[in-house]
Amino acid sequence: VSLGGGNEFGPRCERGDRALLAAVGGTIRVAVIPTAQADGGSDPLRAGNTGVRYFQRLGVAATNVRITDRQSASDPALMADLQTANFVYLLGGNPGYLLTTLRNTPAMDTLISMWQGGATVCGSSAGAMMLCAAQIGRVSGSREPWIPALGLVPQTLAAVHHEHAPASLGWELLKVLPAGYCVIGIDACALAAWQPDGRWHMLGNGSVRVYEDGGREPACYSHGQSWHLPATMVEPSE
């Protein structure tokens, strides 16, 4: 699972995305999912097609899987398109709309099944937020400081577009999370790539800051650096 800090598909993002694609290796087929852009304020078709052209420029095949609402998240034809991929990319946009649109749908079940079967799942901004166990609540339309998210990455909350955020924000988020959770602060055009054994790798420009219980300063990582955060695996939330 790879968590991106936002501003996807720009030139500054190529460094991290090329490194991620090289690490995955083999024949890669990307499914671009533009759901987070479909809340009425953006054009998901255009956004998804931008992603397709971006990945084609990086040398891999890509398809815009146009899941934009709960009806299309149950469309058998779109689920078949999704299952032809081995690399899923969730765009940024509205995090609350993304989570509520996909939760408890065939699209969510298919995404989880593909990940369990070895597919790479990457989310940028809102997409990264949803892949974690906890998601910032207030920017998702909730009065709560955080809400349960998909949970592919356990005991983690992604704080995206973190390049201009003070460290105090990360610590404030950590305080409201359950014990044992961490906050991953990810700059735009940076990737925090997680493996189920607890290993993390930072890829791309900018930095990733990690906030853990008992810390005084967040650990800061740049391109090519790795770290380890053991966590208890949990089932993805319903």
Side-chain angles (χ1 to χ4, degrees):
V1 177
S2 182
L3 310 177
N7 293 2
E8 63 266 32
F9 309 145
R12 292 192 73 251
C13 294
E14 288 192 15
R15 183 187 191 193
D17 290 333
R18 288 185 184 278
L20 178 62
L21 293 171
V24 173
T27 302
I28 297 174
R29 300 174 302 280
V30 181
V32 178
I33 300 181
T35 311
Q37 292 280 322
D39 64 342
S42 303
D43 184 344
L45 175 60
R46 180 179 179 181
N49 287 342
T50 297
V52 168
R53 290 192 296 270
Y54 174 82
F55 280 109
Q56 289 174 339
R57 190 167 70 249
L58 299 188
V60 297
T63 302
N64 183 4
V65 182
R66 301 169 189 177
I67 300 170
T68 57
D69 53 25
R70 290 188 67 81
Q71 181 177 355
S72 55
S74 302
D75 185 332
L78 290 177
M79 297 310 101
D81 287 345
L82 181 56
Q83 289 173 308
T84 64
N86 56 8
F87 188 113
V88 180
Y89 195 99
L90 295 152
L91 270 63
N94 185 322
Y97 183 83
L98 175 62
L99 182 61
T100 57
T101 299
L102 294 187
R103 194 188 291 280
N104 297 324
T105 65
M108 183 71 81
D109 294 341
T110 300
L111 176 64
I112 293 171
S113 177
M114 291 172 65
W115 173 69
Q116 291 173 335
T120 299
V121 179
C122 183
S124 177
S125 193
M129 293 170 64
M130 188 194 75
L131 295 176
C132 295
Q135 177 170 306
I136 298 174
R138 289 177 182 143
V139 300
S140 300
S142 171
R143 294 183 180 180
E144 301 299 326
W146 69 276
I147 56 177
L150 178 57
L152 294 191
V153 184
Q155 295 174 239
T156 300
L157 179 147
V160 297
H161 296 280
H162 202 62
E163 61 271 19
H164 301 303
S168 58
L169 174 63
W171 296 122
E172 288 169 8
L173 289 170
L174 188 65
K175 287 179 182 177
V176 301
L177 291 170
Y181 274 55
C182 69
V183 173
I184 307 291
I186 313 167
D187 291 357
C189 294
L191 295 175
W194 172 83
Q195 295 175 265
D197 63 2
R199 286 183 294 163
W200 289 82
H201 309 277
M202 191 283 179
L203 304 171
N205 291 306
S207 65
V208 169
R209 285 178 274 174
V210 179
Y211 303 83
E212 296 182 81
D213 286 335
R216 294 184 178 181
E217 296 291 336
C220 186
Y221 300 95
S222 58
H223 181 72
Q225 293 186 312
S226 302
W227 66 100
H228 187 266
L229 288 176
T232 302
M233 290 297 296
V234 295
E235 290 296 318
S237 61
E238 297 296 328

